[in-house]
Amino acid sequence: MSFPVHTRKTSRRTFPLESLLMPQVPRSNYLHFQEEKQRLQLKKFLLHRMFLVAKITADTEKKHIAEYYEQVFQSILKHHLGEAVTGLLLLYPTSILHILESCNGTLYRILSDYLNREKNETEFFIQGMKIIVVSHNIPTRLFMQWHVSVIKVPVIYLDDVTQSQSLEEVITEFLTQTHKLALHLFKTVKVGTKGPGDNLHQAVPELLLPEQIIKYLCKSEEFMDTETFINMYNKPIHITSDSEVVWPAPSHF
């Protein structure tokens, strides 16, 4: 006796050969790329680097300037979520060179505090601050912490380079020398130490800028002062979209 055998037809989907051979690449966008980059670098916010110069009164105790900035940094960190401040403060006899690295909000509050003191205090020891350049979204820090160094011994320069060079040449020398000094400190100063101290004029005199260049930049009108910078920062940007433009333009009869 034979029994009928029923065969079930199974339907199988056939996929194109191209889909099997094509590699599956995860898709992302530029925002995810930037966020991942910040996460890998352990940064909560984008970093910026700011170069500042200013004049100081001759009878000012240099430690008072360092204490002022330390108090400002601590106050900002207590009340504002942001990145820690790193950089270098060089204290010359009558001027300062200040390099700051932090997030946008922290730098804004540092400048705002200085501007308020300059306006409200009759004789604030830091005067005529100028912003030389701001580097946005820097990939890494040049400084692992904030250092202060007093240039005790004034260096004698036979020629005033600011009298024979153009502004472009002076600013090029300014940026070149400051970056060389920053790289030197990055390689030599260990994290957690007090920093270079007050002997930079003996250790690396060839990397120090002449004070005459800093004073020249303080007087230059091509660079923005703090008040102008803060006003531009606070000024809203009005952008006219295409939907707001009517064509042809209305005319009055």
Side-chain angles (χ1 to χ4, degrees):
M1 181 181 293
S2 62
F3 297 94
V5 179
H6 299 280
T7 58
R8 182 190 300 179
K9 294 182 178 180
T10 58
S11 61
R12 296 182 179 179
R13 295 181 59 187
T14 58
F15 298 93
L17 182 61
E18 293 79 6
S19 62
L20 297 176
L21 298 178
M22 184 178 297
Q24 301 298 320
V25 179
R27 295 183 178 274
S28 183
N29 54 37
Y30 186 71
L31 176 60
H32 294 161
F33 170 77
Q34 288 291 88
E35 291 176 345
E36 181 66 13
K37 183 179 179 181
Q38 297 297 321
R39 187 187 67 80
L40 293 176
Q41 294 178 355
L42 301 178
K43 296 188 300 183
K44 296 173 289 187
F45 303 91
L46 295 179
L47 289 175
H48 311 286
R49 184 180 298 120
M50 181 176 290
F51 294 80
L52 305 168
V53 295
K55 297 176 292 184
I56 57 175
T57 55
D59 56 345
T60 302
E61 290 287 341
K62 301 301 187 293
K63 65 177 183 179
H64 293 165
I65 302 177
E67 292 173 353
Y68 158 70
Y69 277 111
E70 289 176 353
Q71 293 174 0
V72 172
F73 298 161
Q74 294 176 4
S75 176
I76 292 175
L77 288 177
K78 288 181 180 179
H79 303 91
H80 170 68
L81 180 63
E83 293 286 340
V85 178
T86 58
L88 175 66
L89 175 62
L90 295 181
L91 300 171
Y92 287 83
T94 60
S95 61
I96 64 172
L97 165 60
H98 204 178
I99 307 174
L100 292 170
E101 297 175 334
S102 187
C103 59
N104 190 49
T106 301
L107 294 176
Y108 171 80
R109 284 165 174 79
I110 294 173
L111 295 179
S112 298
D113 186 271
Y114 161 76
L115 185 60
N116 292 333
R117 291 177 181 268
E118 187 185 37
K119 288 184 175 181
N120 298 326
E121 297 184 14
T122 54
E123 293 183 359
F124 189 52
F125 42 73
I126 304 176
Q127 302 172 353
M129 181 176 291
K130 291 291 184 66
I131 300 170
I132 305 303
V133 67
V134 181
S135 301
H136 296 284
N137 193 15
I138 57 178
T140 56
R141 297 176 185 262
L142 284 176
F143 305 92
M144 294 298 102
Q145 58 195 63
W146 187 69
H147 305 293
V148 181
S149 182
V150 179
I151 311 302
K152 292 183 178 180
V153 180
V155 184
I156 305 300
Y157 300 96
L158 299 179
D159 298 325
D160 187 356
V161 296
T162 60
Q163 300 296 327
S164 58
Q165 293 181 343
S166 63
L167 177 61
E168 183 178 356
E169 292 173 333
V170 173
I171 194 61
T172 300
E173 181 179 356
F174 170 84
L175 294 175
T176 302
Q177 289 297 97
T178 51
H179 277 86
K180 286 182 178 179
L181 178 60
L183 290 175
H184 169 77
L185 297 178
F186 180 80
K187 296 177 181 178
T188 57
V189 178
K190 297 181 180 179
V191 179
T193 60
K194 293 183 179 180
D198 298 337
N199 63 340
L200 281 177
H201 57 279
Q202 297 175 349
V204 284
E206 71 280 1
L207 298 182
L208 288 179
L209 279 169
E211 188 180 18
Q212 59 194 13
I213 291 183
I214 300 176
K215 295 169 67 174
Y216 171 81
L217 296 177
C218 289
K219 297 178 181 179
S220 180
E221 298 181 355
E222 282 78 5
F223 300 103
M224 194 175 298
D225 58 70
T226 308
E227 184 175 7
T228 305
F229 182 87
I230 293 296
N231 291 337
M232 290 185 62
Y233 184 90
N234 294 328
K235 185 179 180 181
I237 301 177
H238 298 283
I239 301 177
T240 303
S241 59
D242 294 339
S243 60
E244 297 176 355
V245 178
V246 179
W247 183 261
S251 58
H252 300 281
F253 296 97

